[in-house]
Amino acid sequence: MTSRAGPLPEGLGESFTCAEAIARDVTRRRLRAADVEAPFRGARLRREEPAGDGDAAAEPLALDGRIRRALLRTARAYASVAPAGSFFVGAAALAAHGLPMRSEWSGRPLSVAVHPPAHAPRGRGVRGVKISPRMVTVCEVDGLRVADAVTAWALCGSWLSCDQLVVLGDALVCVPRDERGRPHPERRRATLDELRQATGVPWRRGRERLTAALELIRVGSMSPLETESRLVLTRAGLPEPDLDVEMRAADGRFIGICDAVYRRQRVAVEVEGSHHRTSDRQWNRDLDKYAALAAAGWEVVRLTSRHIRGSSPQAPHLVRAALERHPRG
């Protein structure tokens, strides 16, 4: 029967090197205790309590946050023992820039890059790559050296699908809004022109997929599900809607912001994630907005992931039916 391990020194962070711990009189035996992870040689992580299994933990935003946190925890642990001049690309770089995460990225080796002629790092949990300086711009985000947002996206052309690149691209070029709905273009991560320039670098791997994605990226999709809904609708032959539209009544009164709008038919499409039903504030705000839109003569089509995803999505049928009920003016 093993005794309970004593607390680690307060000065050690969430991740630390074995050398740092030993310098604070932590024994090697203590570094092998159950509350400490050893993701890389010479590096340690304080072990986290497993996430709960409740409904809230399974929601997309919560899952996205867990994946991002896990990637960044592991990246910071490796950064403490990483070779000089190395930097993160792939999922860890995307996580550092706050871009949408995918569940299959959990548990994969970190992609760690160097510029030639340095040797690519090797070891358990790491996939080392060499990347020419002309292919990537390196920056620092919260202490981590990573590919900047634009070239992190461009480097994904070699391993992500076109649709996945569109989701990331939409997230990069979207104009954030504050809690009052005011747009802040100065906060967006990239412009379409910057993505085009990164795609056009000679010998860029995955250029064909990146170019195809550029044709589909739009300013105005505020979530991955909104991007997916637009792709599903347009591939079914429906016209492209206007995105992220400020809606007003006839007297100019502000009603709210709609995800997608067909102006001539006066049809608005709202893409609703789980937070629309789990947040009382969001739920009541939605009800007020839909009532105001109906009073102003708009029909609202509300879509969830069940309508958008799957082999036979219902979203195109629902939107087409609404458009047919409102012939063009």
Side-chain angles (χ1 to χ4, degrees):
M1 185 173 179
T2 59
S3 59
R4 184 184 296 251
L8 291 165
E10 291 185 5
L12 291 177
E14 183 179 43
S15 61
F16 51 90
T17 66
C18 294
E20 289 171 336
I22 291 169
R24 293 173 177 268
D25 298 324
V26 179
T27 66
R28 294 187 182 277
R29 181 177 180 180
R30 178 65 182 87
L31 292 175
R32 296 192 294 270
D35 64 341
V36 176
E37 298 178 51
F40 310 104
R41 183 176 181 180
R44 294 295 185 269
L45 266 174
R46 296 177 189 262
R47 192 178 297 277
E48 286 191 318
E49 293 295 327
D53 296 327
D55 290 342
E59 291 180 1
L61 287 176
L63 288 170
D64 187 276
R66 289 214 308 274
I67 296 165
R68 178 174 291 104
R69 173 163 172 75
L71 280 167
L72 293 179
R73 286 183 78 240
T74 308
R76 290 193 179 97
Y78 185 75
S80 66
V81 294
S86 62
F87 54 95
F88 295 99
V89 294
L94 300 177
H97 291 295
L99 293 172
M101 298 285 96
R102 296 184 62 83
S103 58
E104 61 264 31
W105 295 347
S106 295
R108 286 189 175 181
L110 292 173
S111 292
V112 182
V114 294
H115 295 316
H119 294 291
R122 301 176 64 182
R124 175 173 58 90
V126 172
R127 173 182 171 269
V129 293
K130 292 184 181 183
I131 301 177
S132 168
R134 64 186 172 82
M135 293 288 184
V136 62
T137 300
V138 180
C139 66
E140 189 169 300
V141 179
D142 295 332
L144 286 179
R145 280 174 52 82
V146 298
D148 78 338
V150 171
T151 49
W153 173 83
L155 290 168
C156 291
S158 63
W159 62 284
L160 289 183
S161 70
C162 178
D163 282 6
Q164 290 165 357
L165 291 168
V166 175
V167 167
L168 293 174
D170 276 6
L172 284 167
V173 304
C174 81
V175 176
R177 292 182 179 271
D178 62 23
E179 64 280 357
R180 294 186 179 182
R182 296 172 298 197
H184 288 272
E186 75 281 0
R187 295 183 189 172
R188 65 176 170 180
R189 302 175 182 93
T191 65
L192 276 167
D193 282 343
E194 289 171 335
L195 298 184
R196 289 192 187 96
Q197 290 172 11
T199 298
V201 172
W203 307 106
R204 172 72 71 192
R205 293 182 62 192
R207 185 196 306 277
E208 186 174 335
R209 263 179 288 183
L210 291 167
T211 301
L214 280 170
E215 295 300 314
L216 299 171
I217 292 170
R218 300 289 183 270
V219 177
S221 280
M222 309 301 280
S223 71
L225 194 58
E226 288 182 35
T227 297
E228 291 178 48
S229 71
R230 185 184 79 247
L231 296 177
V232 163
L233 294 178
T234 55
R235 285 170 180 165
L238 292 169
E240 280 208 28
D242 295 330
L243 305 177
D244 193 40
V245 179
E246 296 182 4
M247 307 294 286
R248 296 187 180 275
D251 60 3
R253 179 175 50 86
F254 179 70
I255 294 175
I257 299 164
C258 284
D259 299 331
V261 168
Y262 294 93
R263 295 181 188 270
R264 295 182 65 182
Q265 295 91 345
R266 299 186 72 78
V267 170
V269 178
E270 288 285 270
V271 179
E272 301 184 354
S274 299
H275 69 285
H276 286 264
R277 62 177 173 79
T278 57
S279 166
D280 287 342
R281 181 182 179 188
Q282 182 68 55
W283 177 255
N284 288 315
R285 184 187 298 168
D286 287 345
L287 292 178
D288 291 343
K289 180 171 72 172
Y290 298 152
L293 286 170
W298 288 84
E299 178 173 351
V300 179
V301 180
R302 301 169 64 184
L303 303 177
T304 68
S305 59
R306 182 175 64 86
H307 302 118
I308 295 165
R309 294 170 176 162
S311 57
S312 300
Q314 294 302 302
H317 305 295
L318 297 172
V319 174
R320 181 176 286 111
L323 294 178
E324 290 174 350
R325 284 193 291 271
H326 302 274
R328 297 183 180 184

